[in-house]
Amino acid sequence: MTKVVLDAVKPIKGPSIVDVSKELADAGGVGKVIIRVDEVDVGSITMTITIEGNDIDFDKVVDVLERLGVVIHSIDEAEAEP
């Protein structure tokens, strides 16, 4: 996989989006992480996470997000090349 776009939510308390992006950047095959905040509610932040790389290990991405308390609502885009 070379690109994945996720709709996700995280609690306001806990790691910042900067911390989340740094942790994701260390996941397997990730070359670039972009996090855009879409909405801030009383206790949560809804965000779009775009991950690009040569061979993204999606299982590792999910593990990182779960460890940080981020919940994936949907996979909005996925791109792969042979």
Side-chain angles (χ1 to χ4, degrees):
M1 182 177 306
T2 57
K3 181 178 180 180
V4 64
V5 179
L6 306 171
D7 176 40
V9 65
K10 74 170 222 59
I12 287 181
K13 293 185 179 182
S16 69
I17 64 168
V18 173
D19 295 330
V20 173
S21 67
K22 287 179 181 179
E23 291 285 332
L24 286 171
D26 289 337
V30 174
K32 182 178 182 179
V33 177
I34 301 167
I35 298 179
R36 184 185 74 228
V37 173
D38 297 319
E39 184 177 344
V40 178
D41 290 324
V42 174
S44 64
I45 297 173
T46 302
M47 55 194 170
T48 301
I49 303 172
T50 303
I51 302 168
E52 298 177 0
N54 291 330
D55 189 19
I56 299 166
D57 186 335
F58 188 69
D59 290 333
K60 284 187 181 178
V61 167
V62 171
D63 289 343
V64 167
L65 293 174
E66 287 178 349
R67 180 171 47 83
L68 296 174
V70 178
V71 176
I72 298 171
H73 279 182
S74 63
I75 301 171
D76 294 342
E77 183 178 339
E79 185 176 311
E81 296 177 12

